[in-house]
Amino acid sequence: RLLDATQAAMAFYDPVRDRSGQIVDFRFTMANWATLDTLGLSADALYGRTITELNPPLRHSPDFAQYVAVVETGQSVVME
């Protein structure tokens, strides 16, 4: 309920790692209605998919590197 109380799109992810332990993607685990509406997907259609599945260019973007840094360092980042 807390997630759906905001109008901003918010989602939670689990990191996906390769055999060497490097983060290579992020899997959707939870999202609010604003995220689902923006993506045009139901929760069932979204959960379990990865962010690069839905947005392949993201993998080589600065945003992806920031996601990885948050997981590896534990330091939060505010992004708009």
Side-chain angles (χ1 to χ4, degrees), residues 19-38:
R19 291 179 190 218
S20 69
Q22 183 175 354
I23 296 173
V24 294
D25 214 333
F26 291 89
R27 189 169 314 285
F28 284 93
T29 58
M30 189 180 300
N32 68 349
W33 68 268
T35 300
L36 299 172
D37 188 52
T38 299

Side-chain angles (χ1 to χ4, degrees), residues 3 11-15 26-31 43 46-49:
L3 278 179
F12 291 90
Y13 314 98
D14 279 336
F26 291 89
R27 189 169 314 285
F28 284 93
T29 58
M30 189 180 300
L46 179 64
Y47 298 162
R49 293 180 79 177

